[in-house]
């Protein structure tokens, strides 16, 4: 690997990988710096949601992207590494990289990618793609997560699917499952007055997958406002409307029922103007995205700003992916909730913005060369 790379991408999730691949394709040398031992970020952990056909969850796009990035001759990768400081200006940044202090296991297939000692590299631009943290449902104690084994999160169910353990969730005595939307999102009091974007689609895909495994299941989805943009997804929603119950209004409290193995979902029913209760065998909390608690340290190291909701702040420039520091771009869920597709689109947008000066510079160099 060369000591000088023209673009540094911090974070190897879908956003960082997409930015790296596209930048490399238009001629840049790219160095990806990833804190963990593996590329792929959170998307690497999502199970395939296919039933008899593909459910378009985009999870396999992450695997494909990791393979292409590792094979690309213009992309270098350093894992178990973090950026300690960023000095200088666009076209002349100096980036200090250090080995990550909390070392998890390195990827066995690519042990040579591990950073072993501190180094400084030059960069023309920096792309930050450090992602998000899934909401910890224990922070909503009234919903019973961690207290009642019948209450799980979408992350838990996804993990069971990934490990082929879904039958331990769908035990024969489980016949009635409820999904609860917006857990950790759309919460003004907690400073998270935003929609996490992906979780309505994730719950619907999971529901479809569970119904595929067990067509006799009764599934209810408690929601505030369904976010299902896109023509295809509206068809999907129409299909699911005939197969499960949708109830507007999310629960205030989940508790144990008198019947063993059942939980009671208590909520305010606006149509009746009073509290209503329903019993379910299992409840799946549809958790959202929250800003990484490390964004403050990241912002300090890179000279960036943090927005009031804790995500990294973009500049005021309309439609731009540039941060509040010129030459440093933000893509994916580090700058606000984003699903896999949106994260990739933002990476493409940043590539286009960075590509413009690159094209200009190349043209300029070519013109100088001709003199
Ligand atoms: C339960 C759940 C289910 C979901 N299911 C879906 C789904 O079905 N479909 C969908 O489209 N989306 C889904 N999402 C959302 C999806 O995970 C995100 O859209 C996506 O992961 C965002 O990609 P990213 O690259 O921005 O961030 P991440 O995936 O978080 O990747 C960030 C990367 O940066 C690295 N990193 C962090 N800090 C540093 C640092 N300081 N230095 C170097 N590296 C660093 C991390 O280790 C990680 O590899 C789901 C989310 C949750 C919580
Ligand atoms: S998009 Fe999702 S459901 Fe479709 S094949 Fe890929 S991982 Fe499976
Ligand atoms: S995507 Fe759906 S569940 Fe997620 S925060 Fe938005 S409205 Fe709530």
């Amino acid at each position: 690997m060369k000591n000088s790379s023209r673009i540094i991408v911090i974070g190897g999730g879908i956003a960082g990988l997409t930015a790296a691949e596209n930048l490399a394709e238009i001629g840049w040398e790219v160095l990806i710096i990833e804190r963990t031992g593996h590329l792929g970020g959170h998307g690497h952990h999502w199970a395939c949601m296919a039933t008899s056909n593909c459910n378009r969850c985009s999870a396999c796009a992450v695997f494909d992207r990791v393979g292409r990035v590792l094979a690309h001759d213009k992309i270098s990768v350093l894992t178990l590494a973090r950026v300690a400081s960023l000095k200088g200006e666009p076209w002349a940044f100096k980036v200090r990289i250090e080995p990550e202090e909390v070392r998890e296991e390195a990827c066995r297939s690519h042990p040579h990618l591990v950073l072993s000692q501190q180094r400084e590299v030059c960069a023309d631009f920096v792309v930050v793609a450090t992602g998000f943290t899934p909401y910890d449902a224990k922070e909503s104690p009234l919903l019973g997560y961690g207290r009642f084994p019948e209450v799980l999160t979408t992350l838990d169910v996804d993990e069971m699917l990934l490990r082929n353990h879904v039958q331990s969730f769908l035990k024969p005595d489980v016949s009635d499952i409820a999904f609860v939307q917006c857990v950790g999102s759309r919460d003004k009091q907690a400073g998270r007055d935003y929609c996490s974007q992906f979780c309505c689609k994730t719950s619907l895909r999971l529901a479809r997958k569970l119904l595929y495994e067990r067509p006799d299941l009764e599934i209810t989805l408690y929601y505030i406002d369904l976010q299902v943009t896109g023509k295809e997804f509206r068809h999907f929603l129409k299909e699911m409307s005939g197969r499960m119950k949708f109830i507007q209004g999310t629960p205030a409290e989940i508790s144990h029922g008198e019947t063993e193995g059942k939980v009671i979902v208590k909520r305010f029913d606006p149509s009746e103007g009073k509290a209503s209760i329903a019993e379910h065998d299992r409840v799946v909390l549809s958790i959202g995205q929250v800003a990484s608690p490390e964004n403050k340290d990241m912002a300090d190291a890179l000279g960036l700003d943090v927005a009031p909701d804790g995500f990294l702040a973009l500049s005021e420039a309309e439609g731009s992916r540039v941060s509040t520091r010129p030459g440093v771009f933000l893509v994916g869920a580090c700058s606000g909730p984003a699903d896999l597709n949106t994260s990739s689109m933002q990476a493409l947008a940043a590539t286009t913005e960075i590509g413009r000066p690159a094209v200009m510079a190349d043209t300029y160099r070519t013109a100088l060369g001709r003199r």
Side-chain angles (χ1 to χ4, degrees):
M1 192 188 70
K2 291 197 291 180
N3 192 33
S4 135
S5 291
R6 291 176 70 190
I7 296 198
I8 304 278
V9 174
I10 310 172
I14 189 70
L17 295 170
T18 308
E21 190 185 11
N22 285 288
L23 288 162
E25 285 297 300
I26 57 169
W28 293 90
E29 294 280 334
V30 182
L31 170 62
I32 300 178
I33 296 166
E34 166 56 43
R35 188 183 60 176
T36 68
H38 301 82
L39 294 180
H42 285 98
H44 216 249
H45 305 292
W46 307 144
C48 171
M49 292 288 167
T51 50
S52 51
N53 49 18
C54 167
N55 238 334
R56 294 178 184 270
C57 70
S58 305
C60 53
V62 182
F63 283 86
D64 293 349
R65 191 78 72 182
V66 170
R68 291 206 298 273
V69 159
L70 287 171
H72 207 294
D73 61 359
K74 282 193 167 291
I75 304 176
S76 312
V77 179
L78 283 176
T79 61
L80 296 175
R82 66 184 185 90
V83 170
S85 68
L86 173 68
K87 293 193 181 127
E89 305 296 327
W91 301 102
F93 280 128
K94 282 207 159 52
V95 186
R96 192 154 60 84
I97 312 167
E98 290 179 346
E100 180 65 24
E101 281 157 22
V102 187
R103 314 269 290 181
E104 66 163 52
E105 203 187 338
C107 173
R108 288 197 192 140
S109 322
H110 305 98
H112 58 288
L113 303 180
V114 176
L115 177 71
S116 51
Q117 59 185 39
Q118 181 184 309
R119 65 198 299 175
E120 192 168 80
V121 289
C122 302
D124 296 341
F125 296 106
V126 175
V127 177
V128 181
T130 46
F132 70 102
T133 302
Y135 178 68
D136 179 0
K138 287 189 185 140
E139 285 183 32
S140 303
L142 290 178
L143 298 184
Y145 184 68
R147 287 191 294 137
F148 309 132
E150 297 85 1
V151 180
L152 297 103
T153 64
T154 38
L155 196 59
D156 298 328
V157 180
D158 201 283
E159 212 167 286
M160 287 177 190
L161 283 173
L162 195 68
R163 296 184 199 292
N164 248 337
H165 290 168
V166 74
Q167 292 315 327
S168 63
F169 175 60
L170 295 178
K171 288 186 178 139
D173 58 337
V174 171
S175 62
D176 181 324
I177 297 174
F179 282 84
V180 173
Q181 296 308 108
C182 299
V183 176
S185 316
R186 292 174 171 255
D187 184 347
K188 205 170 185 172
Q189 265 182 332
R192 292 187 301 270
D193 190 18
Y194 53 75
C195 166
S196 281
Q197 290 194 22
F198 70 91
C199 17
C200 279
K201 290 183 181 178
T202 295
S203 293
L204 286 174
R205 286 189 185 111
L206 275 177
R208 188 195 233 180
K209 182 88 177 167
L210 296 176
L211 283 167
Y212 181 72
E213 300 286 333
R214 280 272 308 277
D216 62 306
L217 284 176
E218 272 191 37
I219 300 189
T220 306
L221 185 135
Y222 295 100
Y223 71 99
I224 298 175
D225 176 24
L226 284 174
Q227 287 298 314
V228 283
T229 46
K231 194 169 131 209
E232 261 176 58
F233 219 85
R234 285 200 297 277
H235 285 308
F236 182 20
L237 180 60
K238 206 168 158 200
E239 175 208 321
M240 295 310 287
S241 305
R243 302 180 67 193
M244 57 192 276
K245 235 192 286 178
F246 290 83
I247 295 183
Q248 195 161 26
T250 51
E253 192 177 354
I254 296 173
S255 56
H256 251 164
E258 279 176 16
T259 326
E260 181 146 346
K262 298 255 181 206
V263 275
I264 303 271
V265 166
K266 210 183 278 178
R267 65 184 189 95
F268 178 75
D269 183 343
S271 62
E272 296 281 322
K274 59 178 187 178
S276 96
I277 56 168
E279 219 175 39
H280 300 282
D281 296 325
R282 296 286 180 274
V283 173
V284 181
L285 305 178
S286 198
I287 54 167
Q289 291 171 317
V290 296
S292 164
E294 286 154 35
N295 278 353
K296 172 81 179 69
D297 290 346
M298 169 64 65
D300 288 346
L302 301 185
L304 307 179
D305 292 314
V306 177
D309 57 12
F311 289 97
L312 296 174
L314 285 161
S315 74
E316 304 266 302
E318 183 77 26
S320 170
R321 299 308 309 169
V322 82
S323 70
T324 48
R325 180 169 183 177
V328 180
F329 294 80
L330 307 179
V331 296
C334 66
S335 62
D339 63 11
L340 292 166
N341 280 338
T342 309
S343 301
S344 300
M345 297 302 281
Q346 291 176 358
L348 281 171
T351 309
T352 311
E353 276 185 78
I354 294 170
R356 276 188 214 123
V359 171
M360 278 164 56
D362 280 349
T363 314
Y364 183 55
R365 281 189 205 113
T366 313
L368 279 179
R370 277 203 211 105
R371 277 200 201 154

